[in-house]
Amino acid sequence: MSNNLIMRDYGRKLLDSVPKNGILMVEGDMPSLTSRYLRYSENYRPDVDVVDQELIGFPWFKPMHRHIFQHYQFPYDRELYFKDVLARKGEKTAFTYDFRTVFDVHTKAGLPLYIYPFMKQGDEGWQKFYDLVPTRMIYEVRHKNNPYSLDEFLDKAFEHKYNFNKTWTTVIRNCIQCVAGSTL
């Protein structure tokens, strides 16, 4: 067994950034595979739902995953088709939800929704209505009609200012994907 625990530690820091009963929507193989493995295989942070932003758009995703999510709500039973990143890669239509609808459903239900490391490209319609507020390693999805007061924002920012130890700060500065990729 390897003593290299960088991916496990990275995934735990990521999941630990999510408040209790939160929903984490991830983008990219490394954060997606690491956090979903820890959550669903090792049962680390069982209160958190981890949703891959890219996989959610495929027709098989909902039937395969609806039973494992405790908090994540699919916006409706009838999915939308629209052109996005997958369409630009050669597919005529991409089967997916638009993120504004996903955000609306969770905001109205009072379910905390978080993004890491960024939002999927190709669906910018949500930006007129929502902000991504940095908190720990992740971004909180916050409706523009419900902004933080300056005091709330500063409290949240300072609460998590020192979330990383010196080792993690160095790793992030040196590009965690490069470090992880070269040591696996």
Side-chain angles (χ1 to χ4, degrees), residues 17-99:
S17 295
V18 182
K20 186 176 172 90
N21 299 324
I23 301 163
L24 178 63
M25 295 184 73
V26 292
E27 165 79 11
D29 289 345
M30 190 174 64
S32 177
L33 296 173
T34 304
S35 58
R36 289 187 304 131
Y37 172 79
L38 287 169
R39 166 58 187 97
Y40 299 111
S41 296
E42 294 191 3
N43 204 30
Y44 188 79
R45 287 297 309 270
D47 61 303
V48 174
D49 286 343
V50 179
V51 181
D52 187 302
Q53 292 180 43
E54 292 188 275
L55 297 181
I56 192 174
F58 291 100
W60 49 262
F61 187 85
K62 183 178 178 178
M64 254 178 106
H65 291 85
R66 81 173 99 202
H67 68 284
I68 64 171
F69 293 140
Q70 299 174 60
H71 313 290
Y72 181 81
Q73 296 180 6
F74 289 90
Y76 36 73
D77 289 330
R78 200 180 103 250
E79 290 80 2
L80 291 179
Y81 290 85
F82 73 98
K83 295 180 181 182
D84 69 350
V85 173
L86 296 175
R88 288 194 295 273
K89 290 181 180 177
E91 295 188 27
K92 293 184 181 188
T93 58
F95 191 97
T96 189
Y97 295 105
D98 66 276
F99 285 106

Side-chain angles (χ1 to χ4, degrees), residues 39-163:
R39 166 58 187 97
Y40 299 111
S41 296
E42 294 191 3
N43 204 30
Y44 188 79
R45 287 297 309 270
D47 61 303
V48 174
D49 286 343
V50 179
V51 181
D52 187 302
Q53 292 180 43
E54 292 188 275
L55 297 181
I56 192 174
F58 291 100
W60 49 262
F61 187 85
K62 183 178 178 178
M64 254 178 106
H65 291 85
R66 81 173 99 202
H67 68 284
I68 64 171
F69 293 140
Q70 299 174 60
H71 313 290
Y72 181 81
Q73 296 180 6
F74 289 90
Y76 36 73
D77 289 330
R78 200 180 103 250
E79 290 80 2
L80 291 179
Y81 290 85
F82 73 98
K83 295 180 181 182
D84 69 350
V85 173
L86 296 175
R88 288 194 295 273
K89 290 181 180 177
E91 295 188 27
K92 293 184 181 188
T93 58
F95 191 97
T96 189
Y97 295 105
D98 66 276
F99 285 106
R100 178 182 172 202
T101 305
V102 171
F103 294 172
D104 285 347
V105 166
H106 293 88
T107 299
K108 288 176 185 167
L111 297 169
L113 192 59
Y114 301 88
I115 304 298
Y116 180 84
F118 45 77
M119 280 301 301
K120 178 178 152 185
Q121 298 290 318
D123 175 17
E124 285 77 26
W126 61 271
Q127 293 176 350
K128 293 178 185 175
F129 304 94
Y130 291 90
D131 287 319
L132 298 181
V133 181
T135 175
R136 300 185 187 189
M137 284 178 70
I138 57 181
Y139 293 93
E140 178 182 357
V141 175
R142 188 92 175 188
H143 198 282
K144 290 187 180 198
N145 289 341
N146 186 25
Y148 282 117
S149 69
L150 180 58
D151 289 337
E152 287 175 307
F153 180 77
L154 290 174
D155 286 346
K156 196 171 197 74
F158 285 116
E159 175 185 349
H160 307 298
K161 181 178 180 184
Y162 301 106
N163 192 40

